[in-house]
Amino acid sequence: MTIKHFLQFNDLTTDELNYIFERTRWIKAQFKAYQQYWPLSDRTLVMIFEKASTRTRLSFEAGMQQLGGSAIYLNTRDSQLGRGEPVEDAAQVISRMSDLVMIRTFEQDIIERFAANSRVPVINGLTNEYHPCQILADIFTFIEHRGPIKGKTVAWIGDSNNVCNTWLQAAEVLDFNVHVSTPPGYEVEPERANLYGDSHYEEFADPMEAARDADLVTTDVWTSMGFEAENEERMRDFADWQVDADMMRVAKEDALFMHCLPAHRGEEVSADVIDGKHSVVWDEAENRLHVQKALMEYLLLGRVK
Ligand code: CP
Ligand code: NVA
């Protein structure tokens, strides 16, 4: 039997994604109605964190418990992972004692090597290159507020980082457009983003032009985890790439604002935008829980409907 992993957004087909969004809606409604739903009783999720997290840890751990299973947290500091045990060996052992693994780590290569040696599905909880669970939640949030994302325009303002790369992959699979504006020197790297082509995104030197008429404006921190040494330089380079009220004014009148969080008010986004009428960041954060429950159900049980 082939194991299905979720290491990048385009590991799932359009059909599979639509199925997962449909399941998310149902799973979320059950949760809101306090209905018990335990399809994963006796299943164990291992969560491996090599970087910090609030939302990812909480949503996976709570989500697994809400599905009747249990979750175990490991980090680099107090496991053998931080002391040089080969990732291939760790994968062999961890996947013999669990049913599902979620990893947050540095290079994508680490999670790929883990998955190649795993007996159970592996989920990417963020790497330097991608953050696929985040974009599942973001797109589900868009659909809840505005309906299908197909044909819509998403403006990405700021760093062409893991979250940006994942938006670009998602645009190809779900057929929407991304208008990207980064400072010079931080442009999209299509190979790193692992894109099929360049038909679903366009780069803009001026962030205002990227935001113009967008259905969704989104951004992320200027310095991602693992790149802290570049922080000072990035603060200077990104100074003109803040999403503020003027930028939201050129987007569509009913444009949404999203941010994967944690956010830095006064840097990549102004306080009046993230706390303002366009912002759906709390729904977006909550939806991590619901989409990941649907994802775990799918990876472990396949289609149940
Ligand atoms: N958005 C996100 O992944 O948040 P955490 O770093 O808190 O997990
Ligand atoms: N791009 C950010 C996302 C944090 C959830 C980072 O990698 O640090």
Side-chain angles (χ1 to χ4, degrees):
M1 202 186 84
T2 53
I3 305 165
K4 200 150 197 45
H5 302 296
F6 188 48
L7 306 181
Q8 319 189 13
F9 198 88
N10 64 19
D11 283 343
L12 294 174
T13 63
T14 316
D15 264 9
E16 289 176 312
L17 288 162
N18 287 332
Y19 169 78
I20 286 170
F21 293 139
E22 195 184 300
R23 288 300 296 161
T24 302
R25 246 187 307 277
W26 185 84
I27 286 171
K28 182 172 180 176
Q30 296 297 109
F31 175 77
K32 296 288 179 187
Y34 299 98
Q35 291 298 308
Q36 197 178 85
Y37 178 56
W38 284 2
L40 303 185
S41 57
D42 297 328
R43 306 290 181 110
T44 304
L45 165 73
V46 171
M47 308 181 296
I48 301 170
F49 283 92
E50 299 210 74
K51 292 176 178 170
S53 167
T54 298
R55 280 144 287 268
T56 303
R57 176 178 179 183
L58 185 58
S59 53
F60 271 105
E61 190 162 339
M64 195 59 183
Q65 281 170 15
Q66 290 163 16
L67 294 173
S70 54
I72 296 172
Y73 171 80
L74 291 180
N75 67 33
T76 318
R77 212 171 39 255
D78 54 21
S79 70
Q80 299 288 6
L81 289 161
R83 299 181 63 251
E85 181 167 14
V87 66
E88 291 80 3
D89 294 1
Q92 292 283 353
V93 174
I94 291 167
S95 69
R96 283 178 184 233
M97 299 189 194
S98 60
D99 301 286
L100 185 61
V101 177
M102 189 247 47
I103 308 180
R104 167 168 286 196
T105 187
F106 293 89
E107 290 78 29
Q108 181 71 9
D109 175 61
I110 299 172
I111 199 170
E112 302 276 350
R113 282 161 50 212
F114 191 104
N117 288 276
S118 173
R119 292 185 165 195
V120 302
V122 178
I123 297 172
N124 183 344
L126 181 146
T127 56
N128 289 352
E129 288 82 0
Y130 310 115
H131 195 2
C133 294
Q134 183 65 54
I135 304 309
L136 272 186
D138 293 8
I139 292 174
F140 181 75
T141 307
F142 185 90
I143 296 168
E144 274 191 318
H145 284 268
R146 295 285 180 266
I149 197 163
K150 186 173 177 173
K152 302 286 190 207
T153 298
V154 174
W156 176 270
I157 310 297
D159 192 16
S160 66
N161 62 13
N162 42 10
V163 179
C164 174
N165 286 342
T166 311
W167 269 114
L168 298 175
Q169 282 197 0
E172 294 188 329
V173 187
L174 295 170
D175 195 16
F176 59 91
N177 307 300
V178 186
H179 288 180
V180 184
S181 181
T182 66
Y186 297 92
E187 291 87 358
V188 171
E189 296 171 66
E191 254 174 60
R192 192 169 156 87
N194 193 21
L195 303 178
Y196 298 124
D198 59 7
S199 56
H200 286 78
Y201 76 97
E202 199 177 331
E203 295 193 87
F204 293 77
D206 180 353
M208 292 296 271
E209 289 313 307
R212 192 171 299 286
D213 295 327
D215 297 282
L216 164 64
V217 180
T218 184
T219 185
D220 188 11
V221 291
W222 290 340
T223 306
S224 286
M225 292 181 280
F227 297 84
E228 289 80 1
E230 300 172 15
N231 192 42
E232 236 176 83
E233 194 181 340
R234 284 170 171 265
M235 293 288 271
R236 280 192 302 271
D237 294 346
F238 283 81
D240 293 334
W241 273 261
Q242 180 185 92
V243 178
D244 59 12
D246 286 341
M247 202 176 282
M248 290 308 299
R249 260 192 289 278
V250 301
K252 287 222 173 97
E253 207 179 319
D254 68 345
L256 298 177
F257 172 77
M258 290 191 198
H259 189 310
C260 65
L261 308 177
H264 298 78
R265 288 172 176 76
E267 292 181 20
E268 74 276 5
V269 61
S270 62
D272 57 348
V273 167
I274 193 168
D275 300 318
K277 63 176 183 183
H278 297 280
S279 177
V280 290
V281 296
W282 312 128
D283 288 346
E284 180 188 3
E286 179 192 325
N287 281 334
R288 291 289 302 279
L289 174 71
H290 309 302
V291 291
Q292 288 162 197
K293 286 166 75 177
L295 174 69
M296 292 192 286
E297 180 194 59
Y298 180 63
L299 295 180
L300 287 177
L301 305 180
R303 288 185 192 241
V304 297
K305 279 244 155 76

